[in-house]
Amino acid sequence: MSKANTLALFGGTPVYTAPFRFNNGIGAEEQAAVMRVLERGELSGFIASPGAPFWGGIEVKALQQAFVDHYGVAHALAFNSATSALHAAVSAIGAGPGDEVIVSPYTMSASSTAILMTGAVPIFADIEDDSFGIDPASVEANITPQTRGIMAVNIFGHAARLGPLREIADRHGLFLIEDNAQAPDALYKGRPTGTVGHIGVFSFNRHKVMQSGEGGVLVTGDERLALKAALLRNHGEAVVADMGVDDIVNTAGLNLRMTEMEAAVAQEQFRKMPAMNAERIRLANRLSAGLSELPGIVPPKVEPDCRHVFYMYVMKYDARATGIPRDLFVKAVQAEGPFLRAGYLRPTYLEPLYRRKICFGAKGFPFSANPRNDRLAYGPGLCPTCERLQDGELMLTAIMQPPQTLDDMDRFVEACAKVLANRDALLAAGKRLAS
Ligand SMILES: Cc1ncc(COP(=O)(O)O)c(C=O)c1O
């Protein structure tokens, strides 16, 4: 067999030798934005006392206004990260010790630590097979008298089932928070994600579609929630008396403020985001067209009237159709060059913090504050769909990020096809390795 046909895993020539290039939309516009802040000399406009500077500087306000204009929401607040904005969101809904917030286990850790930081506990509902978002039926089954809110995560760039989730929240008098860090400008039934819930949160961290190094934005249509979040952002305890704020629940503040340079860069990135999304979608569509010709690899599903913005490209793998175990397939494709990973992050509840219920101090708080703590168990089997997808079915790549090209997409498909065509050699070697 020629070197080109032999799997790279066995010394053949890899299909793809180009190094993966990280998304980086930073250009002249961001440079000019930083310079205008430096020339002004005011690197943060925030002061933690009542008055105009309590609400942030020129660039922070301009970024917030850009979100208000783009999404038609009443309020937008810039934070130093999406994690901070999520923490402010959970605080704003009044969650505290003894309360529960239902959340997806298939997400980055910050979705549920934002809940813990208020003294409430996360309750993990299972996810759906195709959108990988939280399953409304599982959410409903997990509602208790302690439930205060639901946090849906629009994971990988696709909306969770936000319509039914909002309906459940409204019917039970709960708040719906959208962790929209991975899905700016995704659509759910024609509506922008982040705006279906009572609060939506966006991220500008280095790895997101749009970036300012670090940063986050919270949007809401509710004035009371916006005020609570703004107080938490900027040392609220020191200003509430002078500002005449009577409802002081969860207003002990932190410094969660965004700097002027971050806000200036974030504005430029937010302007570019629709075009950056469009390029990801173009590349992802090419990948889907190629992969759908191969047996056993199911490209990401886009629900009707939804827009997927492909923060990550997540496929389902059917080992029965290919005859190759997933992890062996992934190893062989990786050897051919492209970035491919088996699964995403393990379900959040499998982390030691949850399994051992050790968070603040060593005495079990905040779990100990929950009236049904003796029945709260975090461990394997809690969310079977999530575990099945993570352990055996999902594969993830970021190859559809610009500046990768259509040609890179074709090479990815070629690498997968080559591995599938070499099934027998791969399985024989797998057996040899095992014996
Ligand atoms: C789903 C999700 N939520 C929250 C965050 C936290 O975002 P940030 O890094 O801006 O705090 C991330 C970041 O990776 C994320 O992917």
Side-chain angles (χ1 to χ4, degrees), residues 81-83 86 107-108 111 153 179 181-182 203 205 208 215:
S81 70
T83 304
L86 283 171
T107 175
M108 190 252 171
S111 310
V153 184
D179 178 344
Q182 299 191 0
S203 174
N205 86 15
K208 294 295 179 287

Side-chain angles (χ1 to χ4, degrees), residues 108-401:
M108 190 252 171
S109 60
S111 310
S112 38
T113 39
I115 298 166
L116 287 170
M117 291 298 154
T118 66
V121 297
I123 300 296
F124 296 96
D126 209 348
I127 61 169
E128 290 187 321
D129 232 306
D130 287 318
S131 73
F132 314 128
I134 199 167
D135 181 344
S138 180
V139 168
E140 192 130 32
N142 276 290
I143 292 174
T144 71
Q146 283 77 249
T147 309
R148 187 115 206 153
I150 301 164
M151 188 189 292
V153 184
N154 300 316
I155 198 77
F156 308 135
H158 192 286
R161 201 166 294 281
L162 296 172
L165 290 171
R166 176 71 199 236
E167 187 274 321
I168 291 169
D170 289 343
R171 184 154 39 82
H172 290 271
L174 305 172
F175 290 99
L176 175 64
I177 296 170
E178 284 179 70
D179 178 344
N180 200 41
Q182 299 191 0
D185 258 20
L187 293 177
Y188 175 80
K189 307 288 175 200
R191 287 182 65 183
T193 54
T195 69
V196 181
H198 298 87
I199 301 183
V201 166
F202 296 74
S203 174
F204 281 90
N205 86 15
R206 165 70 188 95
H207 305 282
K208 294 295 179 287
V209 174
M210 50 189 187
Q211 57 145 331
S212 57
E214 304 290 351
V217 170
L218 176 157
V219 298
T220 181
D222 185 317
E223 194 173 348
R224 205 180 54 84
L225 295 177
L227 174 63
K228 278 276 168 84
L231 289 167
L232 189 84
R233 175 174 69 172
N234 195 7
H235 306 286
E237 75 284 359
V239 298
V240 284
D242 295 325
M243 284 169 61
V245 176
D246 191 41
D247 173 10
I248 63 164
V249 171
N250 288 355
T251 54
L254 292 162
N255 176 350
L256 307 179
R257 308 177 307 209
M258 186 184 251
T259 68
E260 287 289 274
M261 279 200 282
E262 286 167 332
V265 172
Q267 285 169 66
E268 299 306 328
Q269 288 277 294
F270 188 52
R271 244 190 292 279
K272 291 180 181 178
M273 179 264 292
M276 295 194 288
N277 273 344
E279 181 59 6
R280 281 176 187 247
I281 293 168
R282 188 174 82 98
L283 295 171
N285 286 344
R286 175 74 154 242
L287 212 44
S288 294
L291 291 173
S292 58
E293 301 289 315
L294 303 181
I297 301 178
V298 183
K301 201 165 162 191
V302 185
E303 296 288 329
D305 300 325
C306 290
R307 181 199 287 147
H308 197 319
V309 294
F310 296 104
Y311 170 64
M312 289 288 162
Y313 186 94
V314 177
M315 298 143 269
K316 280 213 262 187
Y317 181 79
D318 182 353
R320 275 171 311 192
T322 63
I324 306 170
R326 179 194 63 172
D327 294 2
L328 186 58
F329 176 82
V330 168
K331 201 169 163 195
V333 173
Q334 279 172 345
E336 297 299 329
F339 170 71
L340 182 66
R341 169 168 163 169
Y344 174 49
L345 300 170
R346 67 171 161 244
T348 310
Y349 56 78
L350 294 180
E351 299 302 343
L353 187 163
Y354 301 96
R355 297 190 68 169
R356 297 173 56 193
K357 295 192 193 168
I358 296 293
C359 181
F360 293 104
K363 295 184 188 143
F365 185 83
F367 304 98
S368 55
N370 190 290
R372 59 186 190 110
N373 187 26
D374 55 342
R375 279 163 290 143
L376 280 186
Y378 300 97
L382 191 59
C383 296
T385 305
C386 184
E387 291 178 27
R388 169 172 53 78
L389 292 167
Q390 169 66 11
D391 294 343
E393 292 182 26
L394 285 198
M395 303 188 301
L396 172 154
T397 182
I399 201 163
M400 72 309 126
Q401 288 186 12

Side-chain angles (χ1 to χ4, degrees), residues 414-426:
E414 198 182 321
C416 292
K418 180 179 170 189
V419 173
L420 292 175
N422 280 277
R423 184 188 64 177
D424 293 345
L426 196 54

Side-chain angles (χ1 to χ4, degrees), residues 10-76:
F10 306 139
T13 311
V15 166
Y16 186 81
T17 48
F20 177 73
R21 286 157 296 161
F22 238 111
N23 162 47
N24 184 1
I26 300 296
E29 300 80 3
E30 288 76 8
Q31 287 177 18
V34 169
M35 286 312 293
R36 85 174 169 250
V37 175
L38 289 176
E39 278 157 18
R40 210 181 284 130
E42 184 177 84
L43 304 192
S44 172
F46 279 105
I47 300 178
S49 53
F54 180 77
W55 305 99
I58 295 170
E59 302 293 345
V60 160
K61 284 183 184 147
L63 173 64
Q64 295 175 169
Q65 190 59 47
F67 269 78
V68 165
D69 295 343
H70 187 77
Y71 289 119
V73 288
H75 307 277

